[in-house]
Amino acid sequence: MTVIPAGSRTVVASLYNLAHLQDALHSSAPCILLTNVHIGNIASLTQECHAMGKPVLVRPDLVEGLKSDQRGIRLLRQAFGVDGVFTSSVVTGNHALEAGLDVFWRVFLLDSRALETSLSTMPTSRWTGFEIVPGPMALTVAGSVLQAAGGRPVIAGGFVSGEEIARQLFDAGYSAVNTSSRRVWDLGPGERRSGRGRTDSHHPQEREEGR
């Protein structure tokens, strides 16, 4: 079973600054993306996350010292205990699938042509799910992207900087949001569905890090 089930309305806490690790571990976010790690600390960080019941995702290109070849990607799973990856590399994605990792393919909404190309390849791809970047633009293409995904989980990432945009993405059908905004990490399941709870005006403006 994928770490981000389709329709689950999951918040992925993107952890760029390790000083915020405890915030992520004790937040409502059920899944953590480690984006500023190296091969010397990724195993211990993953163990710490797993001890709190939180699966770990990484972007292999942001793991310092890791070579994204077959052996390196196998290490992510077998030696470091990582659960899944975000990537836009076919080679990395294939190695990750072979290693037993969940693979979330990154789709960048650069222009209409890039979108059309992605939509044409998504239905026949092997990937576990997809990440649409940036998040606010993902709202405008939700229908076509979700249809092309064929029931697989679709994540919105990048510039998901407040609770309101996160709720809108969930309501549009996205299975998850990927964000470094700590105010969104504590968006509980009930709030994700009902729209009740804190509003963005209750929090100081916060810059997304590393997204």
Side-chain angles (χ1 to χ4, degrees):
M1 181 177 179
T2 174
V3 297
I4 303 176
S8 60
R9 301 172 75 105
T10 296
V11 174
V12 179
S14 179
L15 190 66
Y16 177 76
N17 187 342
L18 292 180
H20 299 150
L21 175 61
Q22 293 303 314
D23 292 335
L25 291 177
H26 293 90
S27 73
S28 300
C31 189
I32 293 180
L33 170 64
L34 298 175
T35 61
N36 188 23
V37 293
H38 53 79
I39 58 173
N41 67 3
I42 187 171
S44 60
L45 289 170
T46 299
Q47 289 173 3
E48 196 167 354
C49 294
H50 284 173
M52 296 294 289
K54 297 179 186 284
V56 171
L57 298 160
V58 299
R59 283 178 48 191
D61 58 312
L62 295 182
V63 179
E64 186 178 351
L66 180 76
K67 188 174 181 181
S68 295
D69 57 8
Q70 186 178 37
R71 184 176 182 180
I73 298 302
R74 190 182 299 122
L75 282 175
L76 283 178
R77 179 62 174 168
Q78 297 179 355
F80 304 145
V82 169
D83 300 287
V85 301
F86 287 95
T87 187
S88 56
S89 164
V90 173
V91 173
T92 298
N94 285 333
H95 287 331
L97 286 177
E98 292 167 2
L101 291 159
D102 280 354
V103 176
F104 298 97
W105 182 258
R106 306 191 80 202
V107 176
F108 297 92
L109 299 179
L110 302 176
D111 52 34
S112 57
R113 184 173 181 178
L115 174 62
E116 290 174 3
T117 300
S118 297
L119 292 177
S120 67
T121 59
M122 285 170 66
T124 57
S125 67
R126 304 169 58 204
W127 315 128
T128 309
F130 307 91
E131 181 188 31
I132 311 301
V133 181
M137 282 296 297
L139 274 176
T140 68
V141 298
S144 55
V145 166
L146 294 172
Q147 182 177 6
R152 286 171 286 180
V154 184
I155 303 158
F159 298 102
V160 183
S161 56
E163 296 175 1
E164 184 57 34
I165 182 65
R167 291 192 189 97
Q168 290 174 5
L169 287 161
F170 288 138
D171 291 343
Y174 284 91
S175 298
V177 295
N178 178 15
T179 177
S180 60
S181 178
R182 283 175 285 160
R183 60 182 136 185
V184 183
W185 294 355
D186 279 319
L187 186 64
E191 294 177 90
R192 295 172 209 167
R193 286 175 166 77
S194 68
R196 294 191 299 271
R198 299 176 304 188
T199 61
D200 293 347
S201 61
H202 294 175
H203 298 264
Q205 190 64 30
E206 187 175 331
R207 178 177 64 87
E208 276 201 298
E209 299 171 287
R211 297 290 304 153

